[in-house]
DNA sequence: CGGCTATTGAGACAGAATCTCAATACGTAG
DNA sequence: CTACGTATTGAGATTCTGTCTCAATAGCCG
């Protein structure tokens, strides 16, 4: 359990807003921090029930949004359907490279984007900001294989890489 | 009607795939090219019915995807719910600045992104690519007003601007 | 411990997009 | 120009996500 720091941050966040620390919130926290890549609410719910935890769909959705507000998780559209959540690696903002062939998602960090974002915002009078950058393309594996195999979609694995 | 070139491209696309040129497809083409900004499928459907055209929801959805495949339209998530479509300005790829205060969407073109995209893809062995960049922030109007007014969400207006 | 009230659970609900299948109309060949 | 085969359409049912409701439960504080 290496998320002591994050869990404390979460507790502080809750107490600071006069919100309660419930068993469900802690369980959800543990679950999402035990996951590696991106996960959607429905799957998270399934995973928790599979572990024998009793929690309802509404609670999962509600508290995922809470986790996002606390800055410990991020909510994003990556697939064509629904939102995906991911916990934050020590607050580091990163972006995604999505392979249109196999669905693999690679995370990366590129300092250049921050500069670009600042420049664009300045030009339009926009205030600070968050951004979402997704690059779609073919990963090396799919680019080679190309038409060669008719395999389905491989499970998406997320790894954080610096450019 | 200045979309002769695009319409021809669409017809060629259809014929090239052995697909039929139907009244519904042409009507949908005209409708989306008569729109300025982003529009969602449901609204497009409403607009067409308002003009007295008889077309079903399923057909709109089906053919919007077709338009996207042909490269003449783009499908994107900008709001929190559902997809928005926009026709392509002569194939020019642009990105979006979304105001979290009023929902206004500003389009911009930044050459820097293309370079960044190339660099990142090279680093990860990804092949060519499209990208989606969204920057969320407060537009100058909302940044000033801030808490001052409790007004609702203003209609999103799209204008293309170069950085 | 006891009370106040935030939170939960179960299921109803809402909105977006897809699917089904019979009816229609495009395109081609005759 | 007509007839035929088949892609496409329409209407509504269906699926899938995510939100909402409200009574029951359980944190938190005194």
């Amino acid at each position: 359990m290496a998320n002591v720091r994050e869990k404390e941050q979460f507790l502080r966040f809750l107490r600071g807003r006069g919100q309660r620390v419930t068993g469900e919130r802690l369980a959800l926290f543990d679950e999402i921090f035990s996951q590696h890549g991106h996960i959607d609410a429905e799957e998270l719910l399934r995973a928790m029930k599979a572990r024998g935890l009793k929690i309802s769909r509404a609670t999962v959705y509600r508290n995922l949004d809470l986790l996002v507000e606390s800055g410990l998780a991020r909510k994003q559209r990556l697939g064509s359907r629904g939102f995906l959540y991911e916990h934050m690696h020590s607050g580091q903002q990163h972006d995604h490279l999505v392979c249109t062939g196999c669905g693999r998602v690679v995370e990366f960090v590129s300092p250049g984007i921050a500069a670009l974002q600042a420049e664009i915002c300045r030009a339009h009078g926009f205030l600070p900001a968050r951004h979402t950058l997704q690059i779609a393309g073919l990963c090396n594996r799919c680019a080679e294989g190309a038409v060669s195999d008719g395999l389905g979609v491989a499970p998406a694995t997320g790894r954080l890489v610096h450019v």
Side-chain angles (χ1 to χ4, degrees), chain A:
Chain A
M1 188 68 52
N3 322 104
V4 190
R5 174 144 272 104
E6 284 84 356
K7 183 166 280 189
E8 272 172 14
Q9 184 183 333
F10 186 42
L11 298 187
R12 251 179 287 126
F13 172 80
L14 288 175
R15 297 206 176 99
R17 308 212 314 183
Q19 296 198 267
R20 293 175 182 175
V21 177
T22 68
E24 289 81 358
R25 282 176 182 163
L26 294 176
L28 186 70
F29 176 95
D30 288 342
E31 187 63 42
I32 201 172
F33 271 87
S34 80
Q35 297 285 339
H36 280 288
H38 317 83
I39 188 168
D40 69 73
E42 222 62 33
E43 201 172 334
L44 213 36
L45 176 63
R46 238 175 292 132
M48 294 181 76
K49 293 212 160 164
R51 290 196 190 197
L53 296 172
K54 219 170 74 50
I55 192 168
S56 86
R57 185 204 312 304
T59 300
V60 169
Y61 278 95
R62 280 188 290 235
N63 288 332
L64 275 173
D65 287 340
L66 199 61
L67 230 20
V68 170
E69 284 177 57
S70 79
L72 287 164
R74 199 158 162 229
K75 182 180 190 177
Q76 237 179 330
R77 304 248 188 211
L78 284 183
S80 58
R81 218 187 197 58
F83 293 99
L84 290 182
Y85 293 84
E86 60 187 347
H87 63 259
M88 300 291 252
H89 307 274
S90 61
Q92 175 81 272
Q93 159 123 31
H94 62 262
D95 295 286
H96 299 105
L97 213 41
V98 181
C99 175
T100 52
C102 63
R104 193 157 65 103
V105 175
V106 178
E107 302 180 357
F108 65 86
V109 174
S110 168
I113 296 165
L116 210 56
Q117 170 177 321
E119 180 191 335
I120 292 164
C121 281
R122 193 169 349 103
H124 294 282
F126 265 61
L127 219 61
R130 277 170 301 109
H131 74 262
T132 302
L133 172 63
Q134 262 179 62
I135 301 183
L138 284 177
C139 69
N140 41 22
R141 256 181 290 162
C142 290
E144 289 168 17
V147 201
S148 68
D149 65 32
L151 297 177
V153 171
T157 314
R159 281 199 308 134
L160 183 62
V161 188
H162 282 253
V163 163

